Amino acid sequence: MDAGRLGFAPDTVIQELGWDEDVDEELRQAIESQCGNELVGDVSDVVDGVILWWRDGDGDLVDALVDSLQDLADGGSVWLITPKVGRPGYVSGADVAEAAPIAGLSTTTTSSASAEWSATKLSTHKR
């Protein structure tokens, strides 16, 4: 698993939201190795990026994306990690494309994160 290929940079702090027992632990470990820090949950400081595990049925995607911005540094990114096509909880690309701009995010890239999960990198608009 190459977390660097997904855009994770060394010496960054990444917040993890939406964790559940179905997440890909190898991907989590690869992100931590690439960043040099453990993933954080609730924080009282600014983070460089956010990974948001999201499945169909988890609630309102726009609300979750807005919440993911709460502790995010200006210019930071949100990686929306969703089940791949055909997997339980699959989220369509159209749903992501619709929700992102409402939350103030731009979709940049979508790629395979692991055998079960896809990652869509969302960027904040420059202020």
Side-chain angles (χ1 to χ4, degrees):
M1 185 78 45
D2 183 3
R5 181 179 56 81
L6 293 175
F8 292 97
D11 200 28
T12 54
V13 176
I14 305 297
Q15 182 178 31
E16 179 181 41
L17 303 172
W19 182 93
D20 205 342
E21 292 180 4
D22 63 344
V23 302
D24 187 306
E25 289 298 327
E26 285 184 32
L27 177 59
R28 292 178 79 249
Q29 291 171 3
I31 293 167
E32 289 177 340
S33 292
Q34 178 69 24
C35 296
N37 295 297
E38 289 186 9
L39 298 174
V40 296
D42 292 331
V43 294
S44 58
D45 206 355
V46 176
V47 296
D48 301 302
V50 174
I51 61 170
L52 173 59
W53 298 93
W54 192 260
R55 306 139 198 93
D56 184 44
D58 279 355
D60 187 283
L61 181 55
V62 173
D63 288 345
L65 290 173
V66 169
D67 289 348
S68 74
L69 300 174
Q70 186 171 354
D71 301 312
L72 186 63
D74 284 347
S77 296
V78 175
W79 286 268
L80 179 65
I81 304 181
T82 58
K84 287 186 173 180
V85 175
R87 307 282 189 227
Y90 167 72
V91 178
S92 76
D95 289 346
V96 175
E98 184 179 313
I102 295 170
L105 293 162
S106 300
T107 304
T108 58
T109 58
T110 300
S111 58
S112 176
S114 69
E116 303 280 325
W117 298 88
S118 293
T120 302
K121 186 175 181 182
L122 306 169
S123 295
T124 56
H125 299 290
K126 300 291 182 210
R127 295 184 181 137

